[in-house]
Amino acid sequence: MLLFTEGLSSQREIIAEIKTLFPSLFVVSTHSQERPEIHEFSDSTETEPKNADLRLAFLRDTISKYGIKLIHAGKHTLWYEAHRNSIESLGVTLVTGVSDVEMFEIADSKIRFAQLMKLHQLPVVPSIEITDADQLEAELKSRPFGNDTLYCVKPVKGIYGMGFWKLADDIPAARCFYDTDSRMVNTKVFLHAMKQSNDFKPLVLMPYLDGPERSVDMVVKQGVVIKAVARVKNGSYQTFEESGPAIDLAIACASILKADGIVNVQTRNAPDGSPVLLEINPRPSGGIGYLGRSGISLPALFVQTYLDIRPAVSATDHLLPNIKVRPLTQAIIV
């Protein structure tokens, strides 16, 4: 009675964990393409129509066929939010990561997100929206964040760090081609490439913060955070935290945006050691599968929260909101 619609690859780990802890819960997953690696642990799968005009009828048939009670929407968030009333009129609860279209559009734009957080007096990384290559060149010359600061850019809209680059004047021109993992690019090379583009996509110009990065995964219901755990990224390792200023900041952020479901907030430490907000992702993070090493199951807590059922395992205390994380555990990212 739980439906996962077309989603990103992290959906696989979420479904696997739910089926391990709730073996009697019937889980259906759907996708518009063949994705057996995602569907592996589902009880049943269906092929979604690629035509959005057919999606509502498809959902109606799927809900009726399986007796679905809860839908976790992966992709196409804007469409699902626009059709929320029609979908929930079919007797299901819809979870998209947000509570309305406006909050999704704010979360989807790093500039609008930063503006809203500043309005609520939450610390956020300084940012400037760049709409063309000439503006980028002018801003880099004026050094708005200081002369001794390393600058970086990322798309105004995007996921998983795609399009993120640190700009440096004193590195080899070809470095970005043979050392892509460093995310470093020669400033002149980057500007030249942007000037050749006929479809420049808006960028965010920011100071690069090299302090620890925290990826805060959480279960939220209509802005109320049920549980949050931070993954602290240290090179190839991740450790886990249950409390701290980064988690407090992430909780405040999720509350303002009225997040709803399994979501993720990214923070970095400023030079003074305090966390600042980078972005909120109104969807499960790509690294949520690592959380199993922390002793906390957010997918299980998601099911408990929205379906009001408990996992069919003997020791369930570690799944409750008031648990304590085990001593910091390290997980190697491969």
Side-chain angles (χ1 to χ4, degrees), residues 170-246:
D170 56 352
I171 63 171
R175 176 169 175 173
C176 59
F177 300 110
Y178 60 75
D179 186 15
T180 56
D181 288 344
S182 71
R183 293 288 185 171
M184 294 285 293
V185 62
N186 180 282
T187 305
K188 290 182 179 179
V189 169
F190 189 82
L191 282 171
H192 176 75
M194 292 299 103
K195 287 181 179 181
Q196 305 309 305
S197 175
N198 294 322
D199 61 342
F200 186 97
K201 293 180 174 57
L203 295 171
V204 182
L205 177 66
M206 305 175 295
Y208 176 71
L209 303 177
D210 60 1
E213 179 181 349
R214 284 171 171 78
S215 184
V216 184
D217 296 306
M218 59 184 80
V219 173
V220 193
K221 189 170 185 180
Q222 297 177 352
V224 178
V225 176
I226 309 301
K227 187 64 188 175
V229 182
R231 289 180 286 113
V232 188
K233 299 180 180 180
N234 301 296
S236 297
Y237 294 84
Q238 295 188 12
T239 56
F240 306 95
E241 294 177 348
E242 185 193 15
S243 61

Side-chain angles (χ1 to χ4, degrees), residues 276-292:
V276 297
L277 291 166
L278 291 177
E279 61 185 348
I280 185 171
N281 301 303
R283 59 185 174 275
S285 67
I288 192 170
Y290 296 115
L291 267 184

